[in-house]
């Protein structure tokens, strides 16, 4: 009996390691391949592609085909809504801002009810960035709408290509849903039951995120700050998590993770200055993906923060590599903008938590 139990334990460890190894290589391969395609072709917002690919590949399981189709269709609907309704409404600023505010609240409310956070983030980006670019050029806004949709399609395809190249071992349990947010019991994979909040609690969570993001969106729209779109994108990525103010350590960790991502972008850029080769750039992305994957899939606290760091790397470095932004000083400007966006969201949630502590908004 003892020998049999030991044998089963060793087999389980081997299966878990094989699964983790497949996840790590999938992430690194998917990041590298998507970065090569996106930054090589360089369509509008192409640098979103490796970010989205990484976000999809850090899930415990590969997204089912039906979920992938629904994901693309819903995102396409969000882009179409933004391009056909919000863009024309720019001629009526008051109506446009009110409609934008309503859409933001409904999206945050949907996220609080369990809708895929990544779908919510992309829908928010569509609702905010496309009209923001439209304040400068309608033609460019339409190109951005197309680019965001194409980036999503490419990222989803990259997920399945990566899964085909590095499949899970056959013995991996089928009880893990692709949308499970994390691990449990010391890193052992398993289904995570998350209760849907009551409508009042969902509204409170949505309102917290809305209060933080909407003023920033309004300011950028009114002053046509299209060149700072990366700030709005980064703030949107973070605003879907309204608990930064309640957990100061998490907010500090988020700042450090994105600062680390900015430093990695600077290091990669300086390597590229010395060795100006796109192939060398992809090699650096591959190495970064292998290292970060080893942390993310080890159930270590650092792993959760590294996902944000990966985001910062591509948001900072992507436009420079594709030529959308000037090199050198522009790179450091984007590092400052990213850190400013992170600091704004963390401090805004922290201030909101202090102001609402003990009230229904603060405790729901």
């Amino acid at each position: 009996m003892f020998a049999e139990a030991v044998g089963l334990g060793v087999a389980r460890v081997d299966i878990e390691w094989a699964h983790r190894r497949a996840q790590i290589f999938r992430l690194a391969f998917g990041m590298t391949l998507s970065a090569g395609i996106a930054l090589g072709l360089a369509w509008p917002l192409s640098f979103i592609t490796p970010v989205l690919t990484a976000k999809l590949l850090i899930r415990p399981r590969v997204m089912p085909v039906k979920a992938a189709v629904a994901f693309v269709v819903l995102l396409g609907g969000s882009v179409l809504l933004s391009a056909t309704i919000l863009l024309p409404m720019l001629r009526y600023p008051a109506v446009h801002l009110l409609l934008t505010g309503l859409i933001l609240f409904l999206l945050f409310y949907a996220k609080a009810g369990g809708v895929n956070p990544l779908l919510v983030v992309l829908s928010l980006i569509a609702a905010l960035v496309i009209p923001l670019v439209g304040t400068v050029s309608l033609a460019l806004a339409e190109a951005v709408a197309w680019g965001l949709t194409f980036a999503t399609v490419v990222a989803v395809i990259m997920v399945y290509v990566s899964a085909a190249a590095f499949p899970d071992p056959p013995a991996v349990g089928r009880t893990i849903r692709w949308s499970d947010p994390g691990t449990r019991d010391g890193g052992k994979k398993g289904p995570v039951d998350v209760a849907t909040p009551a409508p009042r609690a969902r509204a409170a969570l949505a309102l917290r995120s809305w209060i933080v993001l909407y003023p920033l969106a309004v300011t950028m729209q009114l002053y046509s700050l299209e060149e700072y779109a990366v700030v709005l994108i980064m703030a949107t990525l973070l605003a879907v998590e309204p608990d930064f103010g309640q957990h100061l350590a998490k907010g500090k960790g988020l700042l450090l993770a994105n600062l680390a991502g900015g430093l990695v972008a600077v290091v990669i850029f300086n390597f590229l200055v010395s060795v100006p080769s796109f192939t060398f750039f992809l090699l650096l992305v591959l190495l970064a993906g292998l290292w970060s994957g080893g942390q993310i899939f080890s159930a270590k606290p650092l792993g959760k923060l590294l996902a944000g760091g990966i985001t910062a790397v591509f948001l900072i470095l992507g436009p420079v590599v594709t030529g959308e932004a000037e090199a050198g000083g522009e790179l450091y400007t984007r590092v400052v903008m990213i850190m400013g966006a992170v600091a704004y969201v963390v401090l805004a949630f922290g201030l909101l938590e202090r102001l609402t502590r003990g009230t229904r908004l603060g405790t729901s």
Side-chain angles (χ1 to χ4, degrees):
M1 287 291 291
F2 176 76
E4 183 179 351
V6 170
L8 289 174
V10 172
R12 181 174 182 177
V13 170
D14 288 342
I15 292 171
E16 290 181 352
W17 165 240
H19 183 211
R20 180 183 171 215
R21 183 175 56 195
Q23 289 177 309
I24 294 171
F25 281 103
R26 269 203 304 267
L27 177 62
F29 178 78
M31 283 174 53
T32 306
L33 186 59
S34 62
I37 294 174
L39 304 185
L41 297 179
W43 65 84
L45 282 187
S46 62
F47 57 87
I48 291 291
T49 309
V51 174
L52 178 54
T53 303
K55 293 288 187 182
L56 290 173
L57 285 173
I58 63 176
R59 296 291 177 175
R61 292 289 296 272
V62 175
M63 177 168 46
V65 175
K66 288 184 178 179
V69 173
F71 187 86
V72 173
V73 169
L74 291 173
L75 190 275
S78 299
V79 172
L80 183 64
L81 174 69
S82 181
T84 59
I85 296 180
L86 291 180
L87 270 181
M89 284 294 173
L90 287 173
R91 292 175 292 182
Y92 313 100
V95 177
H96 171 77
L97 291 178
L98 289 173
L99 184 58
T100 299
L102 175 62
I103 291 174
L104 260 62
F105 180 81
L106 292 176
L107 287 171
F108 284 130
Y109 186 82
K111 189 270 175 184
V115 173
N116 183 356
L118 194 54
L119 177 60
V120 172
V121 165
L122 290 172
S123 298
L124 287 168
I125 290 174
L128 296 176
V129 175
I130 293 173
L132 175 60
V133 176
T135 61
V136 178
S137 169
L138 290 177
L140 183 57
E142 292 173 355
V144 167
W146 174 86
L148 181 59
T149 304
F150 188 63
T152 304
V153 173
V154 172
V156 170
I157 292 174
M158 291 301 99
V159 168
Y160 288 106
V161 171
S162 302
F166 301 98
D168 284 328
V172 171
R174 299 180 180 274
T175 59
I176 305 174
R177 301 188 304 272
W178 82 274
S179 57
D180 285 343
T183 57
R184 60 193 297 184
D185 299 332
K188 298 176 183 178
K189 302 292 184 181
V192 182
D193 297 323
V194 181
T196 302
R200 180 177 294 179
R202 290 176 62 185
L205 289 170
L207 186 58
R208 291 177 67 86
S209 295
W210 185 90
I211 289 173
V212 169
L213 186 61
Y214 186 60
L216 178 63
V218 169
T219 301
M220 298 188 72
Q221 291 268 354
L222 290 178
Y223 291 96
S224 299
L225 302 177
E226 177 267 343
E227 67 270 24
Y228 298 108
V230 66
V231 174
L232 190 56
I233 292 174
M234 192 67 191
T236 302
L237 287 167
L238 302 178
V240 295
E241 301 294 341
D243 60 343
F244 292 135
Q246 300 175 22
H247 305 285
L248 186 58
K250 186 175 181 179
K252 289 180 178 178
L254 192 68
L255 284 168
L256 292 175
N258 283 277
L259 178 59
L263 294 176
V264 169
V266 171
V267 170
I268 292 177
F269 173 77
N270 282 284
F271 273 124
L272 291 176
V273 170
S274 302
V275 185
S277 166
F278 193 65
T279 302
F280 182 62
F281 166 71
L282 294 181
L283 177 61
L284 293 176
V285 173
L286 178 63
L287 293 175
L290 289 172
W291 178 79
S292 59
Q295 300 296 317
I296 290 171
F297 298 114
S298 65
K300 296 179 181 178
L302 177 62
K304 293 183 178 181
L305 296 176
L306 279 176
I310 292 173
T311 300
V313 170
F314 287 110
L315 288 181
I316 293 168
L317 200 59
V320 175
V321 174
T322 59
E324 294 179 40
E326 296 179 3
E330 181 67 21
L331 179 84
Y332 296 98
T333 300
R334 295 180 73 83
V335 172
V336 173
M337 287 195 293
I338 290 291
M339 293 309 301
V342 176
Y344 165 76
V345 172
V346 171
L347 293 175
F349 274 127
L351 178 61
L352 185 61
E353 169 67 17
R354 291 180 64 89
L355 293 176
T356 60
R357 187 170 296 162
T359 66
R360 183 168 295 170
L361 177 61
T363 58
S364 295

